Amino acid sequence: TRGWQRIGYNGLLPYNLYKDATLRTRHIDARLATNISIAYVMGTGDTVPDALEALGLKTHILTPDELRSADLSAWTTIIIGIRAYSVRPELAAAGPRLEDFARKGGTVIVEYQSVDFPAPVKFELGNSPERVTDEAAPVKILVADDPLLTTPNRITAADFDNWVEERGHSFLRSWDDHAIALTETADEGQDPQLGGLVEARVGKGNYIYCAYALYRQLPELVPGAYRILANLVSVGNNH
């Protein structure tokens, strides 16, 4: 009936914060492609793998050794967690392997990063990446008929309703000419930010950068975040 969370830091007396035990549920209309298998590179920590499990998708957390030498073709989709390039030194060295994985038909999804990272296409954050802090900032869909926004769920501006805390971190400053920016958003008075959701075709596969703070929305059961996540992991598997 009750649970607790321990609060405190090294050198300070810890104490427990108690609260009543609750279980929140929400019905979400989110469709998925078939035959999806996901490997996840954990960064500084998030609950995206839990959200994938809630969608019915088994997720394998990649170890450093697996990043270096495992057969990545065992999965259809590899997701790079938030700020992973800042805390996983083996990840940059795995760049050629990730590129080969995409070129052979896999999908690589990179969640927001705080530093520039190696990619098979030009994705640049710059020295001071932009963020959009207003969780209600309007989001404009730029390419409404792009498969990433239509299959298996049609994503509209309504999927960005009722977000919490922010829109996203580290919007791309520039990208390859053949990459496609799918959305636009901005805080009041800020230049339009088109680098929140950018996709590029790499060989037979796909390479996607997502700056939107899905990882904050998923624990809050925001329906649109689950639908966007479902479309991201379904890319290349829609059959």
Side-chain angles (χ1 to χ4, degrees):
T1 60
R2 300 190 78 200
W4 70 88
Q5 178 182 359
R6 178 152 291 194
I7 305 297
Y9 297 91
N10 291 334
L12 299 178
L13 183 67
Y15 65 93
N16 295 332
L17 177 65
Y18 292 89
K19 59 182 179 180
D20 291 337
T22 59
L23 174 65
R24 294 185 302 150
T25 64
R26 172 169 284 171
H27 177 268
I28 295 172
D29 180 15
R31 296 173 176 84
L32 286 163
T34 58
N35 301 322
I36 301 172
S37 55
I38 299 173
Y40 199 90
V41 181
M42 188 63 72
T44 53
D46 58 59
T47 60
V48 174
D50 295 336
L52 292 166
E53 294 274 350
L55 286 171
L57 296 170
K58 293 293 184 182
T59 304
H60 177 79
I61 305 300
L62 283 173
T63 67
D65 285 343
E66 286 172 329
L67 266 173
R68 295 184 188 102
S69 60
D71 180 6
L72 300 181
S73 67
W75 300 282
T76 63
T77 306
I78 297 176
I79 303 177
I80 311 299
I82 61 171
R83 300 193 297 274
Y85 280 98
S86 297
V87 297
R88 300 286 297 270
E90 72 278 6
L91 186 54
R97 286 169 45 76
L98 293 172
E99 179 175 350
D100 183 66
F101 168 80
R103 292 195 179 280
K104 291 179 178 177
T107 297
V108 177
I109 301 164
V110 182
E111 296 180 76
Y112 99 84
Q113 304 298 316
S114 53
V115 295
D116 280 318
F117 54 92
V121 294
K122 174 190 173 186
F123 280 173
E124 290 187 351
L125 295 170
N127 293 329
S128 299
E130 295 277 2
R131 62 191 299 174
V132 178
T133 59
D134 183 356
E135 67 272 20
V139 177
K140 182 187 297 184
I141 303 297
L142 301 178
V143 191
D145 61 349
D146 189 274
L148 197 155
L149 298 178
T150 62
T151 308
N153 307 284
R154 178 167 287 278
I155 304 301
T156 70
D159 287 297
F160 293 89
D161 290 346
N162 302 312
W163 279 41
V164 299
E165 194 164 336
E166 61 188 341
R167 279 294 184 218
H169 286 265
S170 299
F171 285 68
L172 289 176
R173 181 181 64 183
S174 60
W175 47 89
D176 261 12
D177 290 340
H178 72 274
I180 303 173
L182 300 177
T183 61
E184 175 187 315
T185 189
D187 284 326
E188 185 175 356
Q190 185 182 31
D191 291 336
Q193 297 300 309
L194 281 69
L197 183 58
V198 181
E199 64 170 342
R201 189 75 177 169
V202 177
K204 297 179 180 179
N206 302 275
Y207 199 91
I208 301 166
Y209 181 77
C210 182
Y212 288 98
L214 298 180
Y215 75 101
R216 291 200 189 278
Q217 316 313 313
L218 297 169
E220 300 301 322
L221 307 183
V222 177
Y226 279 87
R227 287 163 51 82
I228 293 167
L229 180 63
N231 276 26
L232 286 170
V233 299
S234 293
V235 168
N237 299 289
N238 291 306
H239 51 76

